[in-house]
């Protein structure tokens, strides 16, 4: 591999937005390091795109440290690992679900970013791209576990922009609306029917749609920082307002 090859790390690369992003960054010439817990999936994808698959559980500090040791250099970090568990009123909140969401979205992003920042800065042109959500911009009923975690993840990401001003690193927040991935199946504990209903009657974004935008941000010249990009399907006006066609 040439010493000029740019390295990109994608967390949560085993499905959805992360897998699509790994493919598109590789097509743009990046050497991609893929992290996720489902190792069989990242192994297959790494073989397909000529990348490197490394097991990663962002909720486990030892796993993060072993992962980062395998990343020789890093120009782009895509903080994508994350998700939601359940839908419940605050009065009925399930603490284990909250813990999962905060550990994965918030502390996971903190751990990986903190560990890779030295390599990003040493690259001379680092870029942290964090996938938050419209749930980082709005709250909605029954969604407080996820909206609070995404707000916190976004606050962490946005803080870095000021803390590293003047240093060779960019920070881009990507805030998607409805994207059809495994996200809703995970949220509803594998209930495929309930997950499908989330996207019924509208045309959601695809993982590729979001990956296109991430890849666009990652391929701008070094002086251009796309700060925040919100993307939603045409059928979605806000986190709570969608247009659905009758079946
Ligand atoms: P997805 O298909 O469920 O993918 C989630 C990814 O996160 C998987 O690769 C999963 O890999 C990984 N992950 C989960 N827990 C992890 C952990 N502890 N350690 C390492 N990786 C972990 O859903 P997606 O829609 O592509 O989600 C990607 C990101 O987009 C998430 O941050 C999500 O919150 C955000 N987002 C999604 C939507 C949407 O509507 N789909 C909208 C806005 C924002 P393993 O299970 O193999 O570890």
């Amino acid at each position: 591999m040439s010493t000029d090859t740019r390295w990109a790390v994608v967390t949560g690369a085993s499905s959805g937005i992360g897998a699509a992003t790994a493919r598109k960054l590789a097509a743009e010439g990046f050497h991609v390091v893929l992290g996720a817990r489902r190792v069989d999936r990242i192994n297959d994808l790494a073989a397909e795109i000529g990348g490197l698959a490394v097991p990663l559980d962002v909720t486990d500090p030892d796993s993060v440290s072993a992962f980062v040791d395998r990343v020789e250099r890093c120009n782009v970090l895509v903080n994508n690992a994350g998700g939601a568990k359940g839908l419940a009123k605050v009065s009925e909140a399930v603490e284990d679900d909250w813990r999962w969401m905060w550990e994965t979205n918030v502390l996971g992003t903190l751990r990986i970013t903190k560990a890779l920042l030295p390599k990003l800065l040493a690259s001379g042109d680092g870029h942290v791209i964090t996938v938050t959500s419209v749930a980082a911009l709005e709250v909605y009923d029954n969604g407080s576990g996820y909206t609070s975690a995404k707000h916190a993840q976004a606050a962490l990401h946005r803080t870095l922009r000021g803390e590293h001003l003047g240093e060779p690193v960019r920070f881009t927040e990507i805030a998607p609306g409805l994207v059809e991935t495994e996200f809703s199946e995970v949220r509803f504990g594998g209930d495929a029917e309930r997950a499908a209903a989330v996207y019924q009657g509208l045309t959601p974004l695809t993982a590729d749609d979001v990956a296109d935008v991430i890849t666009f941000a990652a391929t701008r010249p070094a002086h251009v920082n796309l700060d925040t990009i919100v993307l939603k399907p045409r059928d979605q006006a806000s986190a709570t307002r969608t247009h659905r066609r009758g079946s």
Side-chain angles (χ1 to χ4, degrees), residues 79-153:
N79 280 317
N80 167 76
K85 283 275 183 213
L87 274 173
K89 288 183 174 184
V90 172
S91 58
E92 285 154 20
V94 178
E95 277 195 31
D96 278 347
D97 287 349
W98 273 65
R99 214 166 275 118
W100 187 95
M101 289 186 271
W102 277 74
E103 268 293 341
T104 310
N105 296 286
V106 188
L107 290 163
T109 298
L110 171 65
R111 285 187 190 104
I112 286 282
T113 308
K114 191 178 163 192
L116 281 175
L117 264 170
K119 288 176 187 173
L120 286 155
L121 290 166
S123 77
D125 178 19
H127 196 165
V128 178
I129 300 178
T130 302
V131 182
T132 64
S133 170
V134 293
L137 307 170
E138 299 174 56
V139 298
Y140 52 88
D141 293 358
N142 305 313
S144 61
Y146 185 58
T147 58
S148 64
K150 284 300 192 186
H151 274 70
Q153 180 195 30

Side-chain angles (χ1 to χ4, degrees), residues 175-198:
L178 286 164
V179 193
E180 191 162 14
T181 61
E182 294 175 16
F183 174 86
S184 293
E185 272 199 62
V186 172
R187 173 170 240 173
F188 300 129
D191 184 339
E193 210 173 311
R194 199 170 168 205
V198 172

Side-chain angles (χ1 to χ4, degrees), residues 24-243:
K24 286 187 192 280
L25 289 175
E28 287 293 328
F30 284 92
H31 179 63
V32 182
V33 183
L34 302 95
R37 294 166 304 175
R38 286 171 291 178
V39 177
D40 49 338
R41 288 201 188 191
I42 52 171
N43 279 340
D44 289 351
L45 184 49
E48 178 193 319
I49 65 174
L52 171 68
V54 182
L56 173 66
D57 180 349
V58 296
T59 69
D60 173 359
D62 292 339
S63 169
V64 170
S65 148
F67 177 85
V68 167
D69 284 348
R70 302 277 308 279
V71 180
E72 276 172 42
R73 44 187 211 265
C74 185
N75 297 84
V76 175
L77 163 63
V78 183
N79 280 317
N80 167 76
K85 283 275 183 213
L87 274 173
K89 288 183 174 184
V90 172
S91 58
E92 285 154 20
V94 178
E95 277 195 31
D96 278 347
D97 287 349
W98 273 65
R99 214 166 275 118
W100 187 95
M101 289 186 271
W102 277 74
E103 268 293 341
T104 310
N105 296 286
V106 188
L107 290 163
T109 298
L110 171 65
R111 285 187 190 104
I112 286 282
T113 308
K114 191 178 163 192
L116 281 175
L117 264 170
K119 288 176 187 173
L120 286 155
L121 290 166
S123 77
D125 178 19
H127 196 165
V128 178
I129 300 178
T130 302
V131 182
T132 64
S133 170
V134 293
L137 307 170
E138 299 174 56
V139 298
Y140 52 88
D141 293 358
N142 305 313
S144 61
Y146 185 58
T147 58
S148 64
K150 284 300 192 186
H151 274 70
Q153 180 195 30
L156 149 68
H157 171 90
R158 292 171 202 158
T159 302
L160 287 161
R161 180 88 170 94
E163 288 178 351
H164 291 279
L165 194 61
E167 296 174 36
V169 60
R170 289 177 275 169
F171 295 94
T172 299
E173 178 181 348
I174 307 282
L178 286 164
V179 193
E180 191 162 14
T181 61
E182 294 175 16
F183 174 86
S184 293
E185 272 199 62
V186 172
R187 173 170 240 173
F188 300 129
D191 184 339
E193 210 173 311
R194 199 170 168 205
V198 172
Y199 311 106
Q200 209 158 22
L202 55 76
T203 307
L205 297 174
T206 65
D208 276 338
D209 294 330
V210 183
D212 278 338
V213 173
I214 293 172
T215 304
F216 178 78
T219 51
R220 295 311 88 206
H223 68 287
V224 179
N225 193 100
L226 290 169
D227 271 71
T228 309
I229 303 174
V230 182
L231 65 156
K232 291 181 275 203
R234 191 176 66 189
D235 289 332
Q236 182 177 26
S238 73
T240 51
R241 203 160 159 234
T242 53
H243 173 75

